[in-house]
Structures are given as C-alpha cells and as structure tokens.
Amino acid sequence: MTDTTMTIADTAVELQNELLLKALRLETLDRPPVWMMRQAGRYLPEYMALRRKYDFFTRVQTPELACEITLQPIDIIGVDAAILFSDILVVPQAMGLEVNMEEGRGPWLPSPVQDASDLKRLHAEEAAEKLSYVYDAIRLTRRALNGRVPLIGFAGAPFTLLCYMVDGGGSKTFSKTMAFCETFPDVAQQLLRSITSVTIDYLIAQAHAGADVIQVFDSWSGLLDEQAYSQLSHPWLAMIAEAVAPHAPVILFPKGSNHALPLLSQTQGVSAIGIDWTLDPAQARQLTGGRVALQGNFNPQWLHHSPAQIRQEVTAMIDAFGTRGYIANLGHGITPDVPVDHARAFVNAVKEYSHAEK
Ligand code: 1CP
C-alpha cells in the first residue's frame, strides 16, 4: 500500500468520540472532553514494563512500541483523546544535535549550541523527512484506534526547543539560554527561524499521516517577560499556527505566560490555549474573550488528594470554565508518583459531570 492509499483508508474510519473536535469548534457540550498531558508515561505500570525492556529512543522510534504506549491510557484510564508517544526533542535530534535520554534524569545534549559557528552543524533541510518513524507511528496508531478517540500530534515550541538546544538539558532557570539570547540576539533569531521551518513541515506531515489535532508545547515560555516573549516566542508560534491550522486544529500550551493570553487568542490559526493552574478560569475566559477554546488547568499535585476530593475539585473546575469550548486537562503533565486510581478518578469525574445536575 502506498502512503496515499493508507491515508485515505484511515480517514475513512469514522470517529466515534468527537468531543475534543467539538470543543475545539467552541461548541457547548453536556460534559467536556478529557485527556491528561503526559498521560502516556511513568505512572502506568504497563509503561514501566516496556521501559525496562527498551531504551527511550527505541520506544519512540519503533512505531509498534510508540503505538502500544499511546493506547495504554485509552484502555486503562479511558481518556477522550490519545496523544502520540514521542518527545519534543526528536526535532533537535533530526536537525543533527546529539540527544541522550538519561533514565530518571531527563534529556542531555552533549554538544549544545553556543555561538553562531554551531549553527553550521544544524540541518533544517530534510530534518522533517528524517522523522518518518513518527508519521509511521501515527498511521499505525490511527489504524489501531479504529476511530475510538481522536489522535493528538505535537511538537515543542521553537523557544522551548531553543532552551534545550542551548542549555544542553533541563534546567530551572535556563540561564545559559537567557545569556545566549542577550549576547547573540541575531543568532537566536536565526536558530528560531530554522526550528520554526522544520516544525511547520513536521506538524503538517503529522496531520497528513492522520493526527486529528496538533498541540504545541511552550513549556518554558514563562521564563520570558512580555517584551522578550514578543521576540522569542510569539512570532514563531504565530507562523506555526497559521501554517498548520488548514491541516488540523492547533492547541497552544504557553506554560507560565498568562500575559500572552489576549495576544495568543487573537492569533490566526489558534483553536485552543492550554493554561496552567496558576490562573483562575474566569480570568482566563476574560483574557481570551471567548475567541478560543481553553484547556486545563487542574493542579497536577491535586491528583494526590483522595478520589472523593478530586471529584469535587473537578466539578468546581468545570463549573468555573463552563462547557462551551472547554477541554478538561491538567495544568501541566501528570507526575510519575500519581496512583493510577487517582488519574482514573480525575477522568471519571469529568465523564460523570452533567449539566443536568445543576
Ligand atoms: O503526553 C504524552 O503522554 C505523550 C508523550 C510525551 C510528550 C507530549 C513525552 C514522553 N514527552 C512529551 C513532551 C515533552 N518532552 C515536553 C513538553 C511537555 C511538558 O512540559 O511536560 C518537554 C519539556 C519534554 C522534554 C523531556 N522529555 C523531559 C523534561 C526534561 C526537563 O526539562 O526536566 C523529560 C523527562 C523527557 C523524557 C520523556 N518524554 C516522555 C516521557 C514519558 C519521558 C520520560 C521518560 C522515562 O523516563 O520513561
């Protein structure tokens, strides 16, 4: 079978759960769709079993394994959307930077970008083509889902990727990155431009392979003040949203950048904005003026509360957001120490929410 026939065959399968797509179209629903950021991961014993057998990039680069891990939270927790098991760092890797994943410690890039000369080591052309294993995983997962729930594809936002590419790994402050952007503003712009062009091709290819929705994670944009945000983050997100939106609805997750909500909600191609738990839902609605759907924002730490308490907190959260253009989710990723029953309590509380009770 050629790629084209596979795509046509896949799209022919009718989606049985359209809640996420309806919420993205700003429809009012009886209850919102629910999924959890980082839902495929270390809090699930079934994930840990595969993690013991295969290293991180083997799990990511083997479509059968990525597909199996993507389906785990659908089968075990019952979420309304699947998100492809992959990582944001596959893009810098495809651009030619070495990326190691140290189990338990996170990503480590031994030769980060330090100045203009390092840009010569990076290859934007063909980077999106090198990620064909991601498109294969999407096609396989689409077939395995058989229309049960929509599939979310994703990428890191250019600024967040730049943070890892310059700092060489995770950090609380990304101080090397902040100094780099100040010392070499032109090099930073050049790097962001090149990441953006790869990301646009990459996300459109994900949509063509069968991703129903695209999310862009700007996990570190909260490091930027409004002025820096307007140069280092927003222009690139705007280019991505505009280019990708004709292919799939786009959700942005600008973690920690509440000041950017009015701007992002007026940016062409943005269907939804994910918000973290530091912002009150009513304020988020006010800042975004009903122009986009909102996603979030349950404090991931609250998943340690009792299932009964989680249920109450979820009900209050949905009451506060309302059921028009709303996607229930966490305010950031689920942590590995959350009991599976508590994750299930969160999801079930959303599914059992009903307007009729009000
Ligand atoms: O959400 C899902 O279930 C899909 C899988 C997924 C996604 C969307 C993974 C698997 N990673 C990501 C995105 C990702 N990766 C982000 C954006 C979301 C966020 O802010 O949480 C970021 C910042 C990364 C980078 C990364 N990869 C980190 C964080 C490092 C830091 O700065 O502290 C880590 C620990 C990874 C590895 C990783 N990626 C995914 C998993 C399950 C893991 C853990 C690997 C393991 O130990 O099993």
Side-chain angles (χ1 to χ4, degrees):
M1 233 191 315
T2 68
D3 282 358
T4 348
T5 49
M6 274 169 73
T7 308
I8 291 164
D10 283 346
T11 39
V13 176
E14 210 177 309
L15 206 51
Q16 290 142 36
N17 180 337
E18 293 210 305
L19 289 173
L20 176 63
L21 299 175
K22 286 180 174 172
L24 288 166
R25 293 195 294 261
L26 299 178
E27 291 182 27
T28 301
L29 301 166
D30 288 336
R31 60 104 176 160
V34 56
W35 67 280
M36 293 180 296
M37 286 189 277
R38 295 295 193 100
Q39 65 189 16
R42 288 174 293 175
Y43 69 105
L44 288 175
E46 292 81 354
Y47 173 81
M48 294 310 280
L50 287 174
R51 190 176 184 265
R52 280 189 289 273
K53 282 195 8 215
Y54 308 97
D55 70 38
F56 184 76
F57 283 113
T58 303
R59 300 196 294 278
V60 165
Q61 291 166 2
T62 311
E64 290 73 16
L65 291 175
C67 170
E68 184 176 346
I69 297 171
T70 302
L71 294 185
Q72 285 176 346
I74 315 303
D75 297 331
I76 301 164
I77 311 284
V79 283
D80 293 310
I83 178 160
L84 185 75
F85 179 76
S86 184
D87 198 78
I88 62 170
L89 295 168
V90 299
V91 165
Q93 195 175 46
M95 290 173 77
L97 273 191
E98 185 182 345
V99 180
N100 300 312
M101 195 59 76
E102 293 195 4
E103 306 289 342
R105 276 192 51 203
W108 173 57
L109 292 75
S111 318
V113 174
Q114 290 175 326
D115 55 36
S117 70
D118 288 326
L119 294 190
K120 295 196 198 83
R121 291 193 276 128
L122 300 179
H123 307 287
E125 332 69 52
E126 294 169 28
E129 282 167 45
K130 289 197 191 122
L131 293 163
S132 59
Y133 63 84
V134 175
Y135 320 132
D136 290 340
I138 289 176
R139 279 188 280 267
L140 191 64
T141 307
R142 263 301 284 265
R143 275 204 300 280
L145 281 170
N146 197 25
R148 276 202 287 165
V149 293
L151 177 61
I152 304 171
F154 71 91
F159 175 70
T160 287
L161 290 183
L162 177 138
C163 285
Y164 288 99
M165 292 168 83
V166 173
D167 251 80
S171 161
K172 282 206 169 65
T173 55
F174 285 96
S175 48
K176 270 170 76 183
T177 302
M178 301 320 280
F180 172 89
C181 291
E182 262 183 44
T183 317
F184 306 114
D186 298 342
V187 185
Q189 292 292 312
Q190 229 179 309
L191 181 52
L192 289 164
R193 182 175 307 281
S194 137
I195 300 169
T196 301
S197 94
V198 176
T199 302
I200 287 174
D201 292 348
Y202 177 49
L203 290 177
I204 292 175
Q206 289 191 36
H208 284 169
D212 299 285
V213 172
I214 293 294
Q215 174 152 324
V216 181
F217 288 90
D218 212 352
S219 306
W220 296 107
S221 66
L223 295 168
L224 303 171
D225 62 37
E226 217 163 328
Q227 162 69 17
Y229 188 88
S230 73
Q231 291 175 1
L232 297 170
S233 181
H234 183 259
W236 317 103
L237 289 175
M239 278 184 215
I240 293 170
E242 189 179 354
V244 176
H247 305 273
V250 175
I251 306 173
L252 300 182
F253 178 56
K255 180 158 188 302
S257 299
N258 294 340
H259 64 80
L261 294 183
L263 179 64
L264 291 172
S265 66
Q266 294 172 77
T267 298
Q268 199 191 324
V270 177
S271 287
I273 302 178
I275 60 172
D276 65 41
W277 64 93
T278 64
L279 190 62
D280 171 68
Q283 227 181 326
R285 284 290 188 204
Q286 200 215 329
L287 292 169
T288 52
R291 292 177 288 269
V292 291
L294 292 177
Q295 174 174 279
N297 72 340
F298 200 78
N299 186 336
Q301 288 310 312
W302 288 5
L303 291 177
H304 291 288
H305 295 168
S306 71
Q309 202 175 340
I310 290 172
R311 190 190 167 90
Q312 278 180 6
E313 288 159 348
V314 165
T315 305
M317 173 178 79
I318 303 174
D319 286 344
F321 276 105
T323 52
R324 173 181 175 270
Y326 174 52
I327 303 156
N329 204 318
L330 309 175
H332 199 192
I334 184 169
T335 50
D337 52 2
V338 168
V340 177
D341 276 353
H342 291 215
R344 210 179 275 121
F346 171 77
V347 168
N348 284 342
V350 179
K351 289 173 135 182
E352 286 156 22
Y353 181 91
S354 160
H355 254 340
E357 283 173 24
K358 306 286 127 212

Short mmCIF file of all heavy atoms in Angstrom, two decimals, residues 29-34 281-282 285 296-298 310-324 326-329 346-355 358:
data_model
loop_
_atom_site.label_atom_id
_atom_site.label_comp_id
_atom_site.label_asym_id
_atom_site.label_seq_id
_atom_site.Cartn_x
_atom_site.Cartn_y
_atom_site.Cartn_z
N LEU A 29 -21.17 21.60 25.23
CA LEU A 29 -21.36 20.16 25.37
C LEU A 29 -21.98 19.84 26.73
O LEU A 29 -21.93 20.66 27.64
CB LEU A 29 -20.01 19.46 25.24
CG LEU A 29 -19.28 19.72 23.90
CD1 LEU A 29 -17.83 19.28 23.97
CD2 LEU A 29 -20.00 18.99 22.76
N ASP A 30 -22.55 18.63 26.87
CA ASP A 30 -23.08 18.23 28.17
C ASP A 30 -21.95 18.07 29.18
O ASP A 30 -22.10 18.40 30.36
CB ASP A 30 -23.83 16.90 28.06
CG ASP A 30 -25.14 17.11 27.32
OD1 ASP A 30 -25.66 18.25 27.33
OD2 ASP A 30 -25.64 16.14 26.72
N ARG A 31 -20.83 17.54 28.69
CA ARG A 31 -19.64 17.47 29.54
C ARG A 31 -18.43 17.62 28.62
O ARG A 31 -18.48 17.25 27.45
CB ARG A 31 -19.61 16.15 30.34
CG ARG A 31 -19.58 14.86 29.52
CD ARG A 31 -18.18 14.28 29.52
NE ARG A 31 -18.09 13.00 28.84
CZ ARG A 31 -16.95 12.50 28.38
NH1 ARG A 31 -15.82 13.18 28.49
NH2 ARG A 31 -16.91 11.33 27.78
N PRO A 32 -17.33 18.19 29.17
CA PRO A 32 -16.17 18.43 28.30
C PRO A 32 -15.41 17.14 28.00
O PRO A 32 -15.50 16.18 28.76
CB PRO A 32 -15.30 19.36 29.14
CG PRO A 32 -15.70 19.11 30.55
CD PRO A 32 -17.13 18.67 30.54
N PRO A 33 -14.63 17.14 26.91
CA PRO A 33 -13.69 16.04 26.69
C PRO A 33 -12.59 16.12 27.73
O PRO A 33 -12.32 17.19 28.27
CB PRO A 33 -13.13 16.33 25.29
CG PRO A 33 -13.28 17.80 25.11
CD PRO A 33 -14.51 18.21 25.88
N VAL A 34 -11.94 14.98 28.00
CA VAL A 34 -10.85 14.98 28.98
C VAL A 34 -9.67 14.14 28.47
O VAL A 34 -9.85 13.06 27.92
CB VAL A 34 -11.33 14.47 30.36
CG1 VAL A 34 -11.97 13.08 30.27
CG2 VAL A 34 -10.19 14.47 31.38
N PRO A 281 -9.93 30.22 36.17
CA PRO A 281 -10.65 30.00 34.90
C PRO A 281 -11.42 31.23 34.41
O PRO A 281 -11.40 31.54 33.21
CB PRO A 281 -11.60 28.85 35.22
CG PRO A 281 -10.93 28.10 36.33
CD PRO A 281 -10.17 29.12 37.13
N ALA A 282 -12.09 31.94 35.34
CA ALA A 282 -12.88 33.10 34.91
C ALA A 282 -11.97 34.17 34.31
O ALA A 282 -12.30 34.80 33.29
CB ALA A 282 -13.65 33.67 36.10
N ARG A 285 -10.93 33.11 30.84
CA ARG A 285 -12.01 33.38 29.87
C ARG A 285 -12.02 34.86 29.51
O ARG A 285 -12.19 35.23 28.35
CB ARG A 285 -13.37 33.00 30.46
CG ARG A 285 -13.65 31.52 30.50
CD ARG A 285 -13.88 30.96 29.11
NE ARG A 285 -14.33 29.58 29.17
CZ ARG A 285 -14.18 28.70 28.19
NH1 ARG A 285 -13.59 29.04 27.06
NH2 ARG A 285 -14.62 27.47 28.33
N GLY A 296 -7.35 22.84 30.35
CA GLY A 296 -6.61 22.82 31.61
C GLY A 296 -7.57 22.59 32.76
O GLY A 296 -8.65 22.05 32.55
N ASN A 297 -7.21 23.09 33.87
CA ASN A 297 -5.95 23.52 34.40
C ASN A 297 -5.78 22.97 35.80
O ASN A 297 -5.28 23.64 36.69
CB ASN A 297 -5.85 25.06 34.38
CG ASN A 297 -6.75 25.71 35.44
OD1 ASN A 297 -7.71 25.09 35.93
ND2 ASN A 297 -6.44 26.93 35.82
N PHE A 298 -6.20 21.70 35.98
CA PHE A 298 -6.15 21.03 37.29
C PHE A 298 -4.70 20.96 37.78
O PHE A 298 -3.81 20.51 37.05
CB PHE A 298 -6.73 19.63 37.14
CG PHE A 298 -7.19 18.99 38.43
CD1 PHE A 298 -8.41 19.35 39.00
CD2 PHE A 298 -6.42 18.02 39.05
CE1 PHE A 298 -8.84 18.75 40.17
CE2 PHE A 298 -6.85 17.42 40.23
CZ PHE A 298 -8.05 17.79 40.79
N ILE A 310 -10.91 14.79 44.68
CA ILE A 310 -10.61 15.06 43.27
C ILE A 310 -11.92 15.31 42.52
O ILE A 310 -12.05 16.25 41.73
CB ILE A 310 -9.82 13.89 42.62
CG1 ILE A 310 -8.40 13.84 43.18
CG2 ILE A 310 -9.80 13.99 41.10
CD1 ILE A 310 -7.57 12.63 42.77
N ARG A 311 -12.90 14.48 42.81
CA ARG A 311 -14.19 14.59 42.13
C ARG A 311 -14.82 15.97 42.37
O ARG A 311 -15.29 16.61 41.45
CB ARG A 311 -15.10 13.47 42.66
CG ARG A 311 -16.35 13.31 41.87
CD ARG A 311 -17.29 12.34 42.60
NE ARG A 311 -18.60 12.44 41.99
CZ ARG A 311 -18.97 11.69 40.97
NH1 ARG A 311 -18.18 10.77 40.49
NH2 ARG A 311 -20.17 11.86 40.44
N GLN A 312 -14.78 16.40 43.63
CA GLN A 312 -15.34 17.73 43.96
C GLN A 312 -14.57 18.84 43.26
O GLN A 312 -15.16 19.79 42.74
CB GLN A 312 -15.22 17.99 45.47
CG GLN A 312 -16.32 17.35 46.26
CD GLN A 312 -16.16 17.64 47.76
OE1 GLN A 312 -15.28 18.40 48.17
NE2 GLN A 312 -17.02 17.05 48.56
N GLU A 313 -13.25 18.72 43.27
CA GLU A 313 -12.42 19.76 42.66
C GLU A 313 -12.62 19.81 41.14
O GLU A 313 -12.62 20.89 40.54
CB GLU A 313 -10.94 19.52 43.01
CG GLU A 313 -10.66 19.84 44.48
CD GLU A 313 -9.40 19.18 45.04
OE1 GLU A 313 -8.84 18.28 44.38
OE2 GLU A 313 -8.99 19.55 46.15
N VAL A 314 -12.82 18.64 40.53
CA VAL A 314 -13.05 18.60 39.08
C VAL A 314 -14.39 19.26 38.75
O VAL A 314 -14.50 20.04 37.80
CB VAL A 314 -13.02 17.14 38.57
CG1 VAL A 314 -13.60 17.03 37.17
CG2 VAL A 314 -11.58 16.61 38.57
N THR A 315 -15.41 18.95 39.55
CA THR A 315 -16.73 19.55 39.31
C THR A 315 -16.64 21.08 39.40
O THR A 315 -17.16 21.79 38.53
CB THR A 315 -17.76 19.01 40.32
OG1 THR A 315 -17.73 17.59 40.23
CG2 THR A 315 -19.16 19.52 40.03
N ALA A 316 -15.94 21.55 40.42
CA ALA A 316 -15.78 23.01 40.57
C ALA A 316 -15.03 23.61 39.39
O ALA A 316 -15.35 24.70 38.90
CB ALA A 316 -15.05 23.32 41.88
N MET A 317 -14.03 22.88 38.89
CA MET A 317 -13.23 23.37 37.76
C MET A 317 -14.12 23.49 36.51
O MET A 317 -14.08 24.51 35.80
CB MET A 317 -12.06 22.42 37.50
CG MET A 317 -11.27 22.72 36.25
SD MET A 317 -9.85 21.61 36.03
CE MET A 317 -10.67 20.15 35.37
N ILE A 318 -14.94 22.48 36.26
CA ILE A 318 -15.78 22.53 35.05
C ILE A 318 -16.84 23.63 35.20
O ILE A 318 -17.11 24.38 34.25
CB ILE A 318 -16.45 21.16 34.77
CG1 ILE A 318 -15.37 20.07 34.63
CG2 ILE A 318 -17.30 21.22 33.50
CD1 ILE A 318 -15.89 18.66 34.51
N ASP A 319 -17.40 23.75 36.41
CA ASP A 319 -18.36 24.85 36.65
C ASP A 319 -17.72 26.19 36.31
O ASP A 319 -18.33 27.06 35.70
CB ASP A 319 -18.80 24.88 38.12
CG ASP A 319 -19.78 23.75 38.46
OD1 ASP A 319 -20.33 23.15 37.52
OD2 ASP A 319 -19.97 23.49 39.66
N ALA A 320 -16.45 26.34 36.70
CA ALA A 320 -15.78 27.63 36.51
C ALA A 320 -15.46 27.90 35.04
O ALA A 320 -15.56 29.04 34.59
CB ALA A 320 -14.51 27.68 37.36
N PHE A 321 -15.07 26.88 34.30
CA PHE A 321 -14.75 27.08 32.88
C PHE A 321 -16.02 27.15 32.03
O PHE A 321 -16.04 27.79 30.98
CB PHE A 321 -13.88 25.95 32.34
CG PHE A 321 -12.41 26.12 32.61
CD1 PHE A 321 -11.77 25.39 33.60
CD2 PHE A 321 -11.66 27.02 31.86
CE1 PHE A 321 -10.41 25.55 33.84
CE2 PHE A 321 -10.30 27.18 32.08
CZ PHE A 321 -9.68 26.44 33.08
N GLY A 322 -17.05 26.42 32.45
CA GLY A 322 -18.24 26.28 31.61
C GLY A 322 -18.01 25.19 30.58
O GLY A 322 -16.89 24.71 30.41
N THR A 323 -19.05 24.78 29.88
CA THR A 323 -18.91 23.63 28.97
C THR A 323 -18.89 24.05 27.50
O THR A 323 -18.96 23.22 26.62
CB THR A 323 -20.03 22.60 29.21
OG1 THR A 323 -21.27 23.28 29.15
CG2 THR A 323 -19.87 21.90 30.55
N ARG A 324 -18.75 25.35 27.24
CA ARG A 324 -18.56 25.78 25.85
C ARG A 324 -17.07 25.99 25.59
O ARG A 324 -16.42 26.74 26.30
CB ARG A 324 -19.30 27.09 25.58
CG ARG A 324 -18.99 27.67 24.20
CD ARG A 324 -19.70 28.99 23.93
NE ARG A 324 -19.28 29.54 22.66
CZ ARG A 324 -18.24 30.36 22.48
NH1 ARG A 324 -17.53 30.76 23.50
NH2 ARG A 324 -17.94 30.79 21.27
N TYR A 326 -14.45 24.06 25.99
CA TYR A 326 -13.60 23.71 27.13
C TYR A 326 -13.13 22.25 27.05
O TYR A 326 -13.92 21.36 26.77
CB TYR A 326 -14.35 23.94 28.46
CG TYR A 326 -13.57 23.46 29.65
CD1 TYR A 326 -12.25 23.87 29.85
CD2 TYR A 326 -14.12 22.55 30.56
CE1 TYR A 326 -11.51 23.39 30.92
CE2 TYR A 326 -13.39 22.07 31.64
CZ TYR A 326 -12.08 22.49 31.80
OH TYR A 326 -11.34 22.01 32.85
N ILE A 327 -11.84 22.05 27.30
CA ILE A 327 -11.23 20.72 27.31
C ILE A 327 -10.63 20.50 28.70
O ILE A 327 -9.71 21.23 29.11
CB ILE A 327 -10.10 20.63 26.25
CG1 ILE A 327 -10.63 20.97 24.85
CG2 ILE A 327 -9.44 19.24 26.26
CD1 ILE A 327 -9.55 21.48 23.89
N ALA A 328 -11.16 19.52 29.44
CA ALA A 328 -10.64 19.26 30.78
C ALA A 328 -9.27 18.60 30.66
O ALA A 328 -9.08 17.65 29.88
CB ALA A 328 -11.61 18.39 31.56
N ASN A 329 -8.32 19.10 31.45
CA ASN A 329 -6.96 18.57 31.42
C ASN A 329 -6.27 19.02 32.70
O ASN A 329 -6.87 19.72 33.52
CB ASN A 329 -6.20 19.10 30.18
CG ASN A 329 -5.05 18.21 29.75
OD1 ASN A 329 -4.28 17.70 30.56
ND2 ASN A 329 -4.92 18.02 28.45
N PHE A 346 -9.91 11.31 38.33
CA PHE A 346 -9.95 12.61 37.64
C PHE A 346 -10.75 12.48 36.34
O PHE A 346 -11.69 13.26 36.09
CB PHE A 346 -8.51 13.07 37.34
CG PHE A 346 -8.42 14.28 36.45
CD1 PHE A 346 -8.67 15.56 36.95
CD2 PHE A 346 -8.10 14.15 35.10
CE1 PHE A 346 -8.60 16.68 36.12
CE2 PHE A 346 -8.03 15.26 34.26
CZ PHE A 346 -8.28 16.53 34.78
N VAL A 347 -10.41 11.48 35.54
CA VAL A 347 -11.08 11.30 34.25
C VAL A 347 -12.56 10.95 34.43
O VAL A 347 -13.43 11.51 33.76
CB VAL A 347 -10.33 10.23 33.42
CG1 VAL A 347 -11.13 9.80 32.20
CG2 VAL A 347 -8.96 10.77 33.01
N ASN A 348 -12.84 10.05 35.38
CA ASN A 348 -14.24 9.67 35.59
C ASN A 348 -15.08 10.83 36.10
O ASN A 348 -16.25 10.97 35.73
CB ASN A 348 -14.34 8.49 36.58
CG ASN A 348 -13.94 7.19 35.90
OD1 ASN A 348 -13.91 7.10 34.66
ND2 ASN A 348 -13.58 6.19 36.69
N ALA A 349 -14.49 11.68 36.93
CA ALA A 349 -15.24 12.84 37.43
C ALA A 349 -15.67 13.74 36.28
O ALA A 349 -16.78 14.27 36.29
CB ALA A 349 -14.38 13.62 38.43
N VAL A 350 -14.80 13.89 35.29
CA VAL A 350 -15.19 14.71 34.12
C VAL A 350 -16.29 14.00 33.35
O VAL A 350 -17.29 14.61 32.95
CB VAL A 350 -13.98 14.97 33.18
CG1 VAL A 350 -14.43 15.79 31.98
CG2 VAL A 350 -12.84 15.67 33.93
N LYS A 351 -16.12 12.69 33.16
CA LYS A 351 -17.10 11.95 32.35
C LYS A 351 -18.47 11.91 33.02
O LYS A 351 -19.50 11.80 32.34
CB LYS A 351 -16.61 10.53 32.10
CG LYS A 351 -15.43 10.49 31.14
CD LYS A 351 -14.89 9.11 31.08
CE LYS A 351 -14.62 8.69 29.66
NZ LYS A 351 -14.13 7.30 29.62
N GLU A 352 -18.48 11.96 34.37
CA GLU A 352 -19.76 11.89 35.08
C GLU A 352 -20.37 13.26 35.29
O GLU A 352 -21.50 13.38 35.78
CB GLU A 352 -19.55 11.16 36.43
CG GLU A 352 -19.38 9.66 36.23
CD GLU A 352 -18.61 9.00 37.37
OE1 GLU A 352 -18.57 9.57 38.48
OE2 GLU A 352 -18.04 7.91 37.13
N TYR A 353 -19.64 14.29 34.94
CA TYR A 353 -20.17 15.65 35.10
C TYR A 353 -21.38 15.80 34.18
O TYR A 353 -21.37 15.35 33.05
CB TYR A 353 -19.12 16.68 34.69
CG TYR A 353 -19.56 18.12 34.84
CD1 TYR A 353 -19.33 18.82 36.03
CD2 TYR A 353 -20.22 18.79 33.81
CE1 TYR A 353 -19.73 20.14 36.17
CE2 TYR A 353 -20.62 20.11 33.95
CZ TYR A 353 -20.36 20.77 35.13
OH TYR A 353 -20.77 22.09 35.26
N SER A 354 -22.39 16.44 34.69
CA SER A 354 -23.54 16.65 33.82
C SER A 354 -24.18 17.98 34.14
O SER A 354 -24.35 18.34 35.30
CB SER A 354 -24.53 15.50 34.01
OG SER A 354 -25.79 15.91 33.56
N HIS A 355 -24.52 18.68 33.08
CA HIS A 355 -25.26 19.93 33.19
C HIS A 355 -26.56 19.73 33.96
O HIS A 355 -27.00 20.58 34.70
CB HIS A 355 -25.64 20.39 31.78
CG HIS A 355 -24.82 21.54 31.33
ND1 HIS A 355 -24.14 22.35 32.18
CD2 HIS A 355 -24.59 22.02 30.08
CE1 HIS A 355 -23.53 23.29 31.50
NE2 HIS A 355 -23.77 23.10 30.22
N LYS A 358 -27.06 20.48 37.56
CA LYS A 358 -27.00 21.87 38.03
C LYS A 358 -28.38 22.41 38.34
O LYS A 358 -29.34 22.09 37.70
CB LYS A 358 -26.33 22.77 36.99
CG LYS A 358 -24.96 22.29 36.57
CD LYS A 358 -23.93 22.52 37.63
CE LYS A 358 -23.21 21.20 37.90
NZ LYS A 358 -22.76 20.97 39.16
#
